[in-house]
Amino acid sequence: MKQHLIIGFGQWSKKIINFLQKKNLYSKIYVKKRQYYFQYGKKEKITDKNFSKIKKNIDSIHICTPLDSHYNYLKKNIKIRKIIVEKPFLESVNQINKIQNINLNNNLIIVNYTYLFYPFINNLKKNLTSKENKKIIINFSKKNNFYRRKNDCLNDWLDHPLSIILYSFKSFSKFKIVEKTFIKKKKGTYEKLILNYYYDKLIVQIRINNLRINKKNILIYGNAKKTIYDFKTNSVLMGKKKIIKYKKTSFEHLYLTLKNHKRLSFQNYNFHKLIVKERKKILKEICNV
């Protein structure tokens, strides 16, 4: 079996490791912390020097560190054949261009736009672009999810709805900020954003909120019907009636893509650049509001 390296050991990394262990996908899983490496399940610390020998046997890696470290870790490990990078991918288009130029072997780099790996994504894409739709609401919210600085929440979450919109509509239309709320408290900051995209007669609304609501879903309002794609329950509902519940998770589809060395339509440098540009454009507009 293959050997895998997880870079970073936060809450999200631990979820990934738990999934990988249950599925028994790798013979060994190594973890990179700030000061050392270790093999998951063992206490022994491994220095950078000693890990250089182990690295020769690493088949794939998953970068799960803060955004500002992605570029350096990606550049350092660019020769690894298969790489997953958590979103947001990189900080700037310039960084993407540099990675594109040094990835001469065209090794597989997958950006984990988590919700594009859900099993119902192709069905969702088809329904989102239906001419019958009047309004679409994309909800991403988590109560009491604190962030230290202003706009950190948006910087972290915006790639989710933006990737869904770009994948479905192939381009970004004009947007308008409907509401922007920022509340600073002792534990951290709360933010709320409502933003509209306009596609002909269709409104696509993004709602991001880390203050009061726990929602991760997409509501599609058509002619006399409402369809809900619920990411939390991995199911599709028509009104309150559940139509389909999927068993496979986004983790399974993500690692299946990695295993099969599959190149998906939204896994290309141009797609990533458009996401970065749009995110920056929105954050700039928010600062002007």
Side-chain angles (χ1 to χ4, degrees):
M1 291 176 70
K2 307 291 186 180
Q3 297 184 22
H4 189 55
L5 171 63
I6 303 282
I7 300 179
F9 197 51
Q11 185 179 1
W12 187 249
S13 305
K14 291 171 184 176
K15 284 184 179 181
I16 292 164
I17 293 169
N18 184 50
F19 160 76
L20 295 176
Q21 284 198 309
K22 284 182 179 179
K23 296 297 178 179
N24 196 28
L25 295 179
Y26 297 98
S27 59
K28 294 179 181 179
I29 299 172
Y30 291 94
V31 179
K32 169 73 169 86
K33 295 189 77 174
R34 287 186 181 180
Q35 303 298 328
Y36 60 90
Y37 295 83
F38 69 94
Q39 183 182 336
Y40 192 76
K42 297 186 177 182
K43 295 181 180 180
E44 182 184 356
K45 296 180 181 180
I46 306 170
T47 63
D48 285 355
K49 184 178 179 180
N50 290 335
F51 191 79
S52 62
K53 299 174 184 177
I54 297 172
K55 192 175 178 180
K56 296 174 183 177
N57 298 317
I58 296 294
D59 180 71
S60 55
I61 68 171
H62 194 150
I63 300 173
C64 305
T65 55
L67 172 59
D68 59 6
S69 64
H70 284 189
Y71 176 74
N72 287 332
Y73 280 124
L74 190 53
K75 186 179 178 182
K76 185 178 179 180
N77 295 283
I78 198 67
K79 291 183 180 179
I80 299 291
R81 191 165 164 262
K82 300 176 184 178
I83 302 172
I84 298 174
V85 185
E86 282 301 316
K87 64 82 211 157
F89 179 35
L90 293 169
E91 292 182 286
S92 66
V93 171
N94 185 44
Q95 286 186 347
I96 297 175
N97 286 333
K98 287 180 179 178
I99 292 298
Q100 189 174 1
N101 290 334
I102 64 175
N103 187 20
L104 300 177
N105 293 327
N106 200 25
N107 289 341
L108 183 67
I109 299 175
I110 300 173
V111 179
N112 187 18
Y113 301 110
T114 311
Y115 300 97
L116 295 188
F117 286 97
Y118 266 72
F120 53 61
I121 188 63
N122 288 327
N123 180 268
L124 171 62
K125 178 181 178 181
K126 183 179 178 181
N127 281 353
L128 283 177
T129 54
S130 171
K131 292 182 179 179
E132 294 182 359
N133 294 335
K134 306 298 181 183
K135 187 174 183 178
I136 295 165
I137 298 176
I138 304 175
N139 286 303
F140 278 98
S141 58
K142 187 174 182 180
K143 188 177 179 181
N144 294 333
N145 196 26
F146 298 109
Y147 286 83
R148 291 182 181 179
R149 296 171 300 182
K150 189 175 183 179
N151 293 333
D152 275 358
C153 171
L154 302 181
N155 229 334
D156 191 21
W157 287 7
L158 265 172
D159 282 28
H160 288 318
L162 292 181
S163 62
I164 292 169
I165 290 171
L166 183 57
Y167 176 68
S168 300
F169 295 95
K170 298 181 180 179
S171 64
F172 293 112
S173 64
K174 289 184 179 181
F175 67 82
K176 180 181 179 182
I177 295 171
V178 178
E179 182 180 343
K180 173 67 178 79
T181 303
F182 172 77
I183 301 172
K184 189 173 183 178
K185 294 193 175 183
K186 289 182 179 180
K187 291 183 179 180
T189 64
Y190 293 102
E191 298 191 69
K192 178 182 178 182
L193 173 70
I194 299 178
L195 180 150
N196 286 351
Y197 279 96
Y198 301 94
Y199 292 90
D200 295 328
K201 297 179 181 179
L202 173 66
I203 295 175
V204 180
Q205 186 170 92
I206 294 173
R207 295 183 181 181
I208 293 176
N209 187 334
N210 72 324
L211 177 57
R212 294 178 180 172
I213 310 167
N214 281 313
K215 282 184 181 179
K216 287 184 177 65
N217 61 27
I218 297 180
L219 283 61
I220 303 176
Y221 295 89
N223 292 328
K225 67 176 183 179
K226 179 175 76 172
T227 306
I228 303 172
Y229 288 83
D230 194 337
F231 294 110
K232 289 183 72 176
T233 61
N234 202 14
S235 58
V236 183
L237 301 88
M238 185 73 76
K240 294 183 178 180
K241 184 179 178 182
K242 191 177 291 183
I243 304 173
I244 307 171
K245 181 172 175 60
Y246 294 86
K247 292 182 179 179
K248 286 191 175 182
T249 65
S250 62
F251 280 160
E252 289 178 86
H253 283 265
L254 173 65
Y255 270 87
L256 190 62
T257 302
L258 186 76
K259 179 184 176 182
N260 295 334
H261 209 104
K262 189 175 181 181
R263 298 187 183 275
L264 303 173
S265 62
F266 58 89
Q267 293 297 337
N268 62 76
Y269 292 112
N270 187 54
F271 189 94
H272 307 325
K273 289 173 188 177
L274 289 173
I275 294 289
V276 170
K277 288 178 181 178
E278 193 69 10
R279 185 194 335 129
K280 287 184 177 292
K281 191 187 297 182
I282 291 169
L283 290 172
K284 184 179 179 181
E285 183 67 23
I286 286 170
C287 291
N288 292 334
V289 171

